Amino acid sequence: MRHNFGAGPCILPQEVFKQASRAVLDFKDGLSILEISHRTSEFEGVVEETEKLVKELLNVPAGYSVLFLQGGASLQFAMVPMNLLPEGKSASYLETGVWANKAIKEVKFFGKANIVASSKDSNYTFIPKDYSIPEDSAYFHCTSNNTIYGTEMFNLPETKVPVVCDMSSDIMSRVIDVSKYDLIYAGAQKNIGPAGLTIVIVKDEILGKTGRGIPSMLDYKVHIDGGSMYNTPPVFSIYVAMLNLRWLKAKGGVAEIEKENIAKANALYTEIDRNPLFKGTCAIEDRSRMNVCFVMENPELEKPFLKLAEENGIEGIKGHRSVGGFRASMYNALPITSVHALIELMQTFAENHK
Ligand SMILES: *Cc1c(COP(=O)(O)O)cnc(C)c1O
């Protein structure tokens, strides 16, 4: 039995893998999903259904478009200022980790980034809370879940400026109020589907206000007008995302999966806090449900524990190099039985190292 705690690309439901494999051999009348034209009515149906599922699962209000793009969340770091930041103006950023930092880096090509708060000095172990966002900011950008550090932002600041959020690693894991955001983006490979697809949810009225010329492929409006088919979309990634979102809907949707995610996170954090060998790395109120980061009181025991984990089918728990220790990523498709397997191993290890 393998337990995949990898940070991304990551676990998807087994039945999604099976359905996707079948479609590789025969999607429609003996044709593979890999060889059909994206202009067929069958594939147009896939895009339509995927869009409908995103809207339904996240309760997206009217006035927003859902886009299926490429280039990963990393391209959004540049597309956001390119499409939303007028020349010479500034946008406010909350610096909560490496991904936020990479987003900030791209702003200089279009205007100025104003860092409203940062937890860099503490190696991003918490989410800054007391800061103000200048009212003349073109937008406020935040990262809802800091995949590398294991912090998650459960509350948005009060602000009148448009809110842009990188939701790559916690989208579809908990109920959110989309109307509080003006643009949400996410690389698909952490809770939505395979790599190669990026989802953008954008409030239409915030677009077209920069006065800047934008290359077609980088212009949200072009993709809205083209129904995400301005060029060849990532056909297979969209198809698998559709299968995965169908799976999520059948499970009861985001509110149901949120309950499971809370149960999984509570179980593992409880063990980390209880077990004398381990300790969490983040401020308790900001602990992520998706990526649980922890270290050992005695760092010399980390290697043997990692080895034991690997021997027992626990995959992908080595921490990111900038944090060290361990990171257990527990995306939607990871069953709670996998979390229990990890907890049992931590307990056995503690028994043997008294
Ligand atoms: C993984 C991740 C990214 C990078 O996504 P790509 O699709 O690889 O560009 C950006 N932001 C966050 C929060 C992530 O977890």
Short mmCIF file of all heavy atoms in Angstrom, two decimals, residues 87-124:
data_model
loop_
_atom_site.label_atom_id
_atom_site.label_comp_id
_atom_site.label_asym_id
_atom_site.label_seq_id
_atom_site.Cartn_x
_atom_site.Cartn_y
_atom_site.Cartn_z
N GLU A 87 0.25 51.40 -15.89
CA GLU A 87 1.65 51.87 -15.90
C GLU A 87 1.90 52.88 -14.78
O GLU A 87 1.11 53.80 -14.60
CB GLU A 87 1.91 52.53 -17.26
CG GLU A 87 3.32 52.39 -17.78
CD GLU A 87 3.65 50.96 -18.20
OE1 GLU A 87 2.94 50.37 -19.04
OE2 GLU A 87 4.64 50.45 -17.65
N GLY A 88 2.98 52.66 -14.03
CA GLY A 88 3.35 53.64 -13.00
C GLY A 88 2.60 53.49 -11.68
O GLY A 88 2.99 54.09 -10.69
N LYS A 89 1.54 52.72 -11.68
CA LYS A 89 0.76 52.54 -10.44
C LYS A 89 1.38 51.42 -9.59
O LYS A 89 2.25 50.69 -10.03
CB LYS A 89 -0.68 52.17 -10.78
CG LYS A 89 -1.49 53.33 -11.31
CD LYS A 89 -2.37 53.99 -10.24
CE LYS A 89 -3.66 53.22 -10.01
NZ LYS A 89 -4.49 53.81 -8.96
N SER A 90 0.89 51.30 -8.36
CA SER A 90 1.42 50.21 -7.56
C SER A 90 0.32 49.26 -7.10
O SER A 90 -0.86 49.61 -7.03
CB SER A 90 2.24 50.75 -6.38
OG SER A 90 1.39 51.29 -5.42
N ALA A 91 0.75 48.03 -6.84
CA ALA A 91 -0.16 47.00 -6.36
C ALA A 91 0.40 46.50 -5.03
O ALA A 91 1.61 46.47 -4.83
CB ALA A 91 -0.22 45.85 -7.36
N SER A 92 -0.49 46.11 -4.11
CA SER A 92 -0.05 45.68 -2.79
C SER A 92 0.07 44.16 -2.72
O SER A 92 -0.81 43.44 -3.21
CB SER A 92 -1.04 46.17 -1.73
OG SER A 92 -0.93 47.57 -1.63
N TYR A 93 1.14 43.70 -2.11
CA TYR A 93 1.39 42.27 -2.00
C TYR A 93 1.65 41.88 -0.55
O TYR A 93 2.36 42.60 0.17
CB TYR A 93 2.61 41.87 -2.86
CG TYR A 93 2.26 41.68 -4.32
CD1 TYR A 93 1.94 42.77 -5.13
CD2 TYR A 93 2.23 40.40 -4.89
CE1 TYR A 93 1.60 42.59 -6.47
CE2 TYR A 93 1.90 40.21 -6.24
CZ TYR A 93 1.58 41.32 -7.02
OH TYR A 93 1.25 41.12 -8.33
N LEU A 94 1.12 40.74 -0.16
CA LEU A 94 1.41 40.17 1.16
C LEU A 94 2.47 39.09 0.93
O LEU A 94 2.25 38.13 0.18
CB LEU A 94 0.13 39.56 1.75
CG LEU A 94 0.23 39.05 3.18
CD1 LEU A 94 0.60 40.16 4.15
CD2 LEU A 94 -1.12 38.42 3.61
N GLU A 95 3.62 39.27 1.60
CA GLU A 95 4.74 38.35 1.33
C GLU A 95 4.74 37.23 2.37
O GLU A 95 5.20 37.40 3.50
CB GLU A 95 6.07 39.12 1.38
CG GLU A 95 7.22 38.29 0.86
CD GLU A 95 8.58 38.91 1.14
OE1 GLU A 95 8.69 39.89 1.91
OE2 GLU A 95 9.55 38.39 0.58
N THR A 96 4.22 36.07 1.96
CA THR A 96 4.08 34.97 2.91
C THR A 96 4.87 33.73 2.51
O THR A 96 4.68 32.66 3.08
CB THR A 96 2.58 34.57 3.03
OG1 THR A 96 2.08 34.35 1.71
CG2 THR A 96 1.78 35.66 3.72
N GLY A 97 5.76 33.89 1.54
CA GLY A 97 6.57 32.73 1.16
C GLY A 97 7.20 32.89 -0.20
O GLY A 97 7.13 33.96 -0.83
N VAL A 98 7.84 31.82 -0.64
CA VAL A 98 8.57 31.85 -1.90
C VAL A 98 7.66 32.14 -3.09
O VAL A 98 8.02 32.89 -3.99
CB VAL A 98 9.29 30.49 -2.11
CG1 VAL A 98 9.60 30.25 -3.57
CG2 VAL A 98 10.59 30.47 -1.30
N TRP A 99 6.45 31.58 -3.08
CA TRP A 99 5.56 31.79 -4.23
C TRP A 99 5.11 33.24 -4.28
O TRP A 99 5.09 33.87 -5.34
CB TRP A 99 4.37 30.85 -4.19
CG TRP A 99 4.76 29.41 -4.36
CD1 TRP A 99 4.53 28.39 -3.48
CD2 TRP A 99 5.46 28.82 -5.47
NE1 TRP A 99 5.04 27.22 -3.97
CE2 TRP A 99 5.62 27.45 -5.18
CE3 TRP A 99 5.96 29.32 -6.67
CZ2 TRP A 99 6.26 26.57 -6.05
CZ3 TRP A 99 6.60 28.43 -7.54
CH2 TRP A 99 6.74 27.08 -7.23
N ALA A 100 4.77 33.81 -3.11
CA ALA A 100 4.39 35.22 -3.05
C ALA A 100 5.55 36.07 -3.56
O ALA A 100 5.37 37.01 -4.34
CB ALA A 100 4.03 35.61 -1.62
N ASN A 101 6.74 35.67 -3.14
CA ASN A 101 7.94 36.38 -3.54
C ASN A 101 8.16 36.37 -5.05
O ASN A 101 8.55 37.36 -5.66
CB ASN A 101 9.11 35.72 -2.83
CG ASN A 101 10.18 36.70 -2.54
OD1 ASN A 101 10.92 37.04 -3.45
ND2 ASN A 101 10.22 37.20 -1.32
N LYS A 102 7.91 35.20 -5.64
CA LYS A 102 8.05 35.11 -7.10
C LYS A 102 7.01 35.96 -7.81
O LYS A 102 7.27 36.52 -8.88
CB LYS A 102 7.94 33.65 -7.54
CG LYS A 102 9.18 32.85 -7.15
CD LYS A 102 9.16 31.46 -7.78
CE LYS A 102 10.52 30.81 -7.60
NZ LYS A 102 10.51 29.36 -7.91
N ALA A 103 5.81 36.06 -7.22
CA ALA A 103 4.77 36.91 -7.80
C ALA A 103 5.22 38.38 -7.74
O ALA A 103 5.08 39.12 -8.71
CB ALA A 103 3.45 36.72 -7.05
N ILE A 104 5.80 38.76 -6.62
CA ILE A 104 6.27 40.14 -6.43
C ILE A 104 7.34 40.49 -7.46
O ILE A 104 7.34 41.57 -8.04
CB ILE A 104 6.81 40.31 -4.98
CG1 ILE A 104 5.65 40.25 -3.98
CG2 ILE A 104 7.61 41.60 -4.83
CD1 ILE A 104 6.05 40.01 -2.53
N LYS A 105 8.20 39.53 -7.74
CA LYS A 105 9.31 39.75 -8.67
C LYS A 105 8.85 40.16 -10.08
O LYS A 105 9.55 40.87 -10.78
CB LYS A 105 10.12 38.45 -8.79
CG LYS A 105 11.58 38.61 -8.52
CD LYS A 105 12.32 37.28 -8.64
CE LYS A 105 12.59 36.92 -10.09
NZ LYS A 105 13.12 35.55 -10.25
N GLU A 106 7.69 39.70 -10.47
CA GLU A 106 7.22 39.96 -11.84
C GLU A 106 6.59 41.34 -12.00
O GLU A 106 6.40 41.81 -13.12
CB GLU A 106 6.19 38.89 -12.27
CG GLU A 106 6.71 37.46 -12.24
CD GLU A 106 7.90 37.24 -13.15
OE1 GLU A 106 7.81 37.58 -14.35
OE2 GLU A 106 8.94 36.74 -12.66
N VAL A 107 6.24 41.97 -10.88
CA VAL A 107 5.48 43.23 -10.96
C VAL A 107 6.30 44.35 -11.59
O VAL A 107 5.77 45.19 -12.30
CB VAL A 107 4.98 43.65 -9.55
CG1 VAL A 107 4.20 44.95 -9.62
CG2 VAL A 107 4.12 42.55 -8.95
N LYS A 108 7.62 44.32 -11.36
CA LYS A 108 8.47 45.43 -11.81
C LYS A 108 8.43 45.68 -13.33
O LYS A 108 8.72 46.76 -13.78
CB LYS A 108 9.91 45.22 -11.36
CG LYS A 108 10.59 44.00 -11.93
CD LYS A 108 12.08 43.99 -11.54
CE LYS A 108 12.80 42.77 -12.07
NZ LYS A 108 12.41 41.50 -11.39
N PHE A 109 8.01 44.68 -14.09
CA PHE A 109 7.93 44.88 -15.54
C PHE A 109 6.74 45.76 -15.92
O PHE A 109 6.63 46.22 -17.05
CB PHE A 109 7.82 43.53 -16.25
CG PHE A 109 9.03 42.65 -16.03
CD1 PHE A 109 8.97 41.56 -15.17
CD2 PHE A 109 10.23 42.95 -16.65
CE1 PHE A 109 10.08 40.77 -14.95
CE2 PHE A 109 11.36 42.17 -16.43
CZ PHE A 109 11.28 41.08 -15.58
N PHE A 110 5.81 45.95 -14.98
CA PHE A 110 4.57 46.66 -15.31
C PHE A 110 4.29 47.85 -14.40
O PHE A 110 3.53 48.73 -14.76
CB PHE A 110 3.39 45.67 -15.24
CG PHE A 110 3.68 44.41 -15.99
CD1 PHE A 110 4.08 43.25 -15.33
CD2 PHE A 110 3.60 44.39 -17.38
CE1 PHE A 110 4.37 42.10 -16.04
CE2 PHE A 110 3.90 43.24 -18.09
CZ PHE A 110 4.29 42.10 -17.41
N GLY A 111 4.86 47.88 -13.21
CA GLY A 111 4.59 48.94 -12.25
C GLY A 111 5.37 48.64 -10.99
O GLY A 111 6.46 48.07 -11.04
N LYS A 112 4.76 48.97 -9.84
CA LYS A 112 5.50 48.85 -8.59
C LYS A 112 4.76 47.93 -7.63
O LYS A 112 3.55 48.00 -7.49
CB LYS A 112 5.63 50.25 -7.98
CG LYS A 112 6.79 50.39 -7.03
CD LYS A 112 6.94 51.83 -6.57
CE LYS A 112 7.63 51.91 -5.23
NZ LYS A 112 6.94 51.32 -4.11
N ALA A 113 5.53 47.07 -6.95
CA ALA A 113 4.93 46.23 -5.91
C ALA A 113 5.17 46.87 -4.56
O ALA A 113 6.29 47.25 -4.23
CB ALA A 113 5.54 44.83 -5.95
N ASN A 114 4.10 46.98 -3.79
CA ASN A 114 4.20 47.54 -2.44
C ASN A 114 3.95 46.37 -1.48
O ASN A 114 2.86 45.80 -1.45
CB ASN A 114 3.12 48.63 -2.33
CG ASN A 114 2.81 48.99 -0.90
OD1 ASN A 114 3.71 49.11 -0.07
ND2 ASN A 114 1.53 49.16 -0.62
N ILE A 115 5.00 45.99 -0.75
CA ILE A 115 4.85 44.86 0.17
C ILE A 115 4.22 45.37 1.47
O ILE A 115 4.85 46.10 2.22
CB ILE A 115 6.20 44.17 0.41
CG1 ILE A 115 6.74 43.63 -0.92
CG2 ILE A 115 6.07 43.03 1.44
CD1 ILE A 115 8.13 43.05 -0.87
N VAL A 116 2.95 44.99 1.71
CA VAL A 116 2.24 45.54 2.88
C VAL A 116 2.68 44.89 4.17
O VAL A 116 2.61 45.50 5.24
CB VAL A 116 0.70 45.42 2.74
CG1 VAL A 116 0.19 46.39 1.67
CG2 VAL A 116 0.27 44.00 2.43
N ALA A 117 3.12 43.65 4.09
CA ALA A 117 3.61 42.95 5.29
C ALA A 117 4.34 41.69 4.84
O ALA A 117 4.08 41.18 3.75
CB ALA A 117 2.46 42.58 6.22
N SER A 118 5.26 41.22 5.68
CA SER A 118 6.05 40.06 5.33
C SER A 118 6.39 39.25 6.58
O SER A 118 6.58 39.81 7.65
CB SER A 118 7.37 40.52 4.67
OG SER A 118 8.24 39.42 4.50
N SER A 119 6.44 37.95 6.42
CA SER A 119 6.90 37.12 7.54
C SER A 119 8.25 36.48 7.21
O SER A 119 8.64 35.46 7.76
CB SER A 119 5.86 36.04 7.88
OG SER A 119 5.41 35.38 6.72
N LYS A 120 8.95 37.12 6.26
CA LYS A 120 10.23 36.59 5.80
C LYS A 120 11.24 36.41 6.93
O LYS A 120 11.97 35.41 6.98
CB LYS A 120 10.81 37.52 4.73
CG LYS A 120 12.00 36.95 4.01
CD LYS A 120 12.45 37.86 2.88
CE LYS A 120 13.60 37.21 2.12
NZ LYS A 120 14.00 38.03 0.97
N ASP A 121 11.28 37.38 7.86
CA ASP A 121 12.27 37.33 8.93
C ASP A 121 12.12 36.10 9.81
O ASP A 121 13.07 35.70 10.49
CB ASP A 121 12.19 38.59 9.81
CG ASP A 121 12.71 39.80 9.06
OD1 ASP A 121 13.33 39.60 7.99
OD2 ASP A 121 12.48 40.94 9.52
N SER A 122 10.92 35.50 9.83
CA SER A 122 10.75 34.29 10.64
C SER A 122 10.67 33.05 9.74
O SER A 122 10.07 32.04 10.12
CB SER A 122 9.51 34.40 11.50
OG SER A 122 8.37 34.11 10.72
N ASN A 123 11.26 33.14 8.53
CA ASN A 123 11.16 32.08 7.53
C ASN A 123 9.70 31.69 7.26
O ASN A 123 9.37 30.52 7.12
CB ASN A 123 11.99 30.85 7.92
CG ASN A 123 12.29 29.96 6.71
OD1 ASN A 123 12.34 30.43 5.58
ND2 ASN A 123 12.44 28.66 6.94
N TYR A 124 8.86 32.69 7.19
CA TYR A 124 7.46 32.53 6.77
C TYR A 124 6.67 31.53 7.61
O TYR A 124 5.88 30.75 7.08
CB TYR A 124 7.40 32.11 5.30
CG TYR A 124 8.10 33.05 4.35
CD1 TYR A 124 9.22 32.62 3.62
CD2 TYR A 124 7.67 34.36 4.15
CE1 TYR A 124 9.88 33.47 2.72
CE2 TYR A 124 8.31 35.21 3.26
CZ TYR A 124 9.41 34.76 2.55
OH TYR A 124 10.04 35.59 1.67
#
